[in-house]
Amino acid sequence: MDRNPEPSQMFSFLKPAPRLSAAEAVARVRAGDLTLIDVRDGGEIAATGRAAGALHVPLAALRMKCDPASPECLPGLSTEKAVALYCASGARSAMAARALTAMGYREVHNIGGLHHWQAAGGAVTR
């Protein structure tokens, strides 16, 4: 194991998650090819609803609910399946995407905010 990574690799965990267009996310969720996660707080979801089919995992509970090593990891999650995250603006989902990547998820995307999902034709449940 190389304990002295190349400088370009040292801070690779800080790279932003690749942006997936909301339209592509809508299509992939419909096809069952993508797990969608809402990282907003419960009050935000109560006020605006959430994307149809999205799991609700508040950012504060992400490690407990999404880490494969956690006994409370949600059963529908897999590090092998693509995941997309959203919040209100894209900032918290960017933090969550970095955390999931560090946990070993292979394909993680930030689609921004719920409004991006809606603008792409994604359904919202209340």
Side-chain angles (χ1 to χ4, degrees):
M1 183 168 119
D2 185 6
R3 294 189 184 271
N4 296 314
E6 293 293 318
S8 63
Q9 296 173 340
M10 286 179 72
F11 298 101
S12 62
F13 66 93
L14 293 175
K15 288 183 193 173
R19 243 354 231 260
L20 182 70
S21 77
E24 187 175 356
V26 169
R28 288 183 69 183
V29 167
R30 284 184 184 144
D33 180 46
L34 182 73
T35 300
L36 186 62
I37 300 175
D38 184 329
V39 297
R40 298 175 301 148
D41 294 328
E44 292 173 281
I45 290 176
T48 61
R50 72 175 171 199
L55 299 174
H56 177 226
V57 181
L59 185 58
L62 195 76
R63 175 132 333 257
M64 178 177 57
K65 297 293 185 183
C66 296
D67 188 340
S70 170
E72 294 189 38
C73 185
L74 296 172
L77 293 177
S78 168
T79 57
E80 302 300 317
K81 186 174 180 184
V83 175
L85 304 127
Y86 73 90
C87 59
S89 68
R92 286 175 288 176
S93 52
M95 287 188 285
R98 286 190 297 272
L100 289 182
T101 299
M103 289 178 216
Y105 285 78
R106 293 180 187 233
E107 184 182 347
V108 182
H109 302 280
N110 175 12
I111 63 167
L114 179 62
H115 63 282
H116 294 105
W117 173 263
Q118 289 176 292
V124 173
T125 58
R126 297 194 182 259

